[in-house]
Amino acid sequence: LIRNILTEEVSLSLFDLRTTRSIKQAQEAVSEEKFDVILIDVTSYKSEGKESFHELYAQAKKTPIIVLCELNSKDLAKEAVKE
């Protein structure tokens, strides 16, 4: 849903959007270019582990990371942000 909404905005040339399918791919993208913000789904945190999330966070220290979650994943999102 978020990707669809953002894609519509991209067509208006308001900003550039780059999507990845994993935290590892996000790490590669961050090493290649600078981003204004990173949106990450908490399911990536769950499936790839908190180590990968923390590596991305360390790599993109000055870039805000927004953690998105479903209502039933609030505890996991809190864990990701707290650590």
Side-chain angles (χ1 to χ4, degrees), residues 34-81:
K34 182 183 179 310
F35 294 90
D36 295 321
V37 67
I38 297 171
L39 304 176
I40 188 166
D41 190 327
V42 76
T43 56
S44 296
Y45 175 84
K46 184 177 178 180
S47 67
E48 295 183 59
K50 59 184 168 184
E51 293 80 20
S52 294
F53 178 82
H54 291 294
E55 288 172 13
L56 175 62
Y57 180 77
Q59 187 176 356
K61 277 187 180 175
K62 296 186 178 189
T63 305
I65 297 177
I66 298 172
V67 179
L68 306 170
C69 71
E70 298 175 348
L71 285 175
N72 60 353
S73 299
K74 286 191 298 187
D75 291 337
L76 187 58
K78 287 179 187 176
E79 179 184 336
V81 172

